Structure formats: C-alpha cells, structure tokens
Amino acid sequence: MLQYDFEESVGYWITITSHFYQDALNQELIPYGITFRQFQVIGWLVYEGPLSQVELADRMMIEPPTLVRILDRMERDQWIKRESDLEDRRRKVVKVCPEAKPVWSQMVACLKQLRKKATQGMSTEDIDTLKSLLMQVQKNLGVNVSEYETA
C-alpha cells in the first residue's frame, strides 16, 4: 500500500481548507441564487477590472469552455457583458454591468459573514500571521504576491 503522512503536509492543509472554505461560501450564496463560480467571475472583475475570457478562466482555474456557460447565464441576467477587444476582435473582454451591483452587495455580505465564522476565536494578530504565512508560501512557490495583495 502507498504511504504518505498527510497530517504533516502543508499542501494538504491548504488544499482541504480551501475546499471547505469554498463549499461554505457556496452554501452562503445559494439562498440568493448565486453560485460560487458566478461569485468568482464578479469578484475577479471587481478586483482587477475588465478581463479577457482566457484571463478570467485562468484566474478561476477552469477551462475557457467551462467558463463560457457561466458567462452565458450571467450575460442573460445582465450581470456582465462581453465585448470584442478593440485591438483584437477575436478576444472577448468581460465587464461587470451596473445591474450586478445588488448581487455584488449580497456576495459581500456573504463574504463578511463567512470571514467572521472562519476567523472566530482568532485575534487580529492571529489573522495577520495567517495571511503573512500564506503569502510566504505563495512567494516560495514563485507567485508574485504583490499582484494579489489587498489593502
């Protein structure tokens, strides 16, 4: 039988925590008719501004064809719009529509609720240390963390 000490694996703890966090966020969003993937689309567009479909799929860690179905529904609901890039007509740029503002407000409320739940029992210093350690892991893995730091 294959052996591995998962309890000592930093990767295991990061991955499983991310999975549980995403699942908990999805559960918070369900009552509002919002999926985790829809949250990701609007979240990345709010955070970075308009992105091409390929860039957005990359950020969400999904294949571009999978993203198309998500964007179709969101465009139908007038949460986003896709436009041809002025310099490259083959490239589609995704932008948030003003109609998404109430949806974004619901998403932010869910995020704040989940953040409160996830950090229950942690001090401000604990949270700062956790963020610092996770940024160090990203840096060690070759990620330019300054691109993703938030104020």
Side-chain angles (χ1 to χ4, degrees):
M1 174 163 265
L2 301 175
Q3 298 285 320
Y4 185 74
D5 189 359
F6 287 96
E7 297 294 316
E8 295 300 317
S9 171
V10 171
Y12 167 79
W13 289 108
I14 291 170
T15 301
I16 199 73
T17 302
S18 175
H19 172 77
F20 289 138
Y21 198 89
Q22 288 177 17
D23 187 54
L25 179 56
N26 201 41
Q27 294 305 311
E28 291 282 334
L29 294 169
I30 284 174
Y32 302 101
I34 303 166
T35 67
F36 176 72
R37 292 299 189 186
Q38 290 169 328
F39 154 74
Q40 283 186 299
V41 168
I42 293 179
W44 278 113
L45 296 175
V46 166
Y47 185 65
E48 290 200 25
L51 294 168
S52 74
Q53 288 184 196
V54 171
E55 292 167 331
L56 190 53
D58 184 53
R59 305 277 189 303
M60 294 172 62
M61 295 186 238
I62 61 175
E63 294 297 319
T66 303
L67 178 61
V68 169
R69 290 193 315 261
I70 298 164
L71 296 179
D72 286 344
R73 179 174 174 205
M74 293 179 76
E75 195 165 40
R76 182 198 70 209
D77 293 341
Q78 298 180 337
W79 294 355
I80 58 104
K81 64 180 174 179
R82 289 176 277 196
E83 299 175 344
S84 294
D85 188 318
L86 297 175
E87 295 178 19
D88 183 353
R89 291 282 192 205
R90 297 168 298 171
R91 183 175 181 251
K92 294 292 184 186
V93 177
V94 184
K95 299 178 180 182
V96 178
C97 293
E99 291 83 356
K101 189 174 183 176
V103 175
W104 179 245
S105 295
Q106 290 172 327
M107 290 178 186
V108 168
C110 289
L111 284 168
K112 287 180 178 179
Q113 177 67 25
L114 185 57
R115 181 188 311 158
K116 183 178 177 183
K117 183 177 181 179
T119 58
Q120 187 175 3
M122 293 182 192
S123 68
T124 302
E125 293 79 22
D126 291 339
I127 295 166
D128 289 343
T129 298
L130 177 61
K131 290 191 297 189
S132 177
L133 291 170
L134 290 172
M135 287 181 6
Q136 183 63 48
V137 169
Q138 291 175 26
K139 184 178 175 185
N140 292 346
L141 295 173
V143 176
N144 183 357
V145 294
S146 63
E147 290 180 20
Y148 298 101
E149 287 184 50
T150 57

